[in-house]
Amino acid sequence: MSESDPGFQAALEEAKQGAREGGIPIGACLVDKNGKVLGRGHNMRLQKGSAILHGEMSALESAGRLPASAYKGSTMYTTLSPCLMCTGACLLYEVSRVVLGENKTFLGGEDLLRSKGVEVINVGSKECERLMQTFSSEHPEDWNEDIGEDGK
């Protein structure tokens, strides 16, 4: 897995779309075991006033209602290490692999994913880091809210 992987590129495109919309630049793409894109999305918390529409949740929402078997063997591509909410969703739907862009800005539930048998791959994307560092420095209050911190 690398930054050139089509699933990762789709997640990165979603992150950039979120940034263009004035939102938090985190994107995700859910791909089934055969390489078919099930859903893709980006963090929409600011745009929709949502408490839960992180990138991964948006990708799952985009996938729509599917049978549990559709998720088995799937890969969640995300531009940032998934928070505990998104980690839980990946575990609930038995996602087999999580490919993330970076975890320097935020370290989420990677250990929990691994402890449940999920393969976790960090591609170490400098572009993802730049997107997040720019956003978090320009909008620290929105970033802190997104990760459940009070910012004090």
Side-chain angles (χ1 to χ4, degrees):
M1 295 289 153
S2 72
E3 288 183 73
S4 63
D5 186 282
F8 184 76
Q9 283 299 307
L12 186 55
E13 289 169 15
E14 289 289 338
K16 292 175 182 177
Q17 178 63 32
R20 285 190 295 273
E21 294 171 0
I24 300 165
I26 303 169
C29 181
L30 181 63
V31 177
D32 77 5
K33 63 185 171 199
N34 299 313
K36 177 186 174 194
V37 172
L38 298 175
R40 52 187 281 177
H42 53 275
N43 188 305
M44 299 283 288
R45 290 189 73 247
L46 298 177
Q47 298 93 313
K48 293 199 172 200
S50 171
I52 62 168
L53 277 178
H54 282 191
E56 299 88 340
M57 302 301 276
S58 182
L60 284 164
E61 179 74 12
S62 168
R65 185 177 170 190
L66 298 172
S69 60
Y71 302 104
K72 290 195 187 298
S74 67
T75 299
M76 178 66 80
Y77 294 88
T78 179
T79 57
L80 185 66
S81 182
C83 73
L84 289 176
M85 175 179 65
C86 297
T87 292
C90 287
L91 293 173
L92 175 68
Y93 291 110
E94 298 185 33
V95 170
S96 298
R97 181 184 310 123
V98 174
V99 177
L100 58 109
E102 64 104 350
N103 63 5
K104 290 182 180 178
T105 304
F106 177 80
L107 179 60
E110 294 174 42
D111 287 342
L112 178 57
L113 288 165
R114 286 186 193 97
S115 77
K116 300 293 187 181
V118 176
E119 181 182 9
V120 177
I121 300 169
N122 181 354
V123 300
S125 169
K126 296 297 180 196
E127 187 170 10
C128 290
E129 278 184 54
R130 276 191 300 277
L131 280 168
M132 289 309 304
Q133 288 172 354
T134 299
F135 182 84
S136 63
S137 67
E138 291 176 0
H139 306 280
E141 65 291 339
D142 291 328
W143 173 237
N144 285 324
E145 179 187 308
D146 194 63
I147 59 173
E149 306 253 332
D150 64 12
K152 295 181 180 168

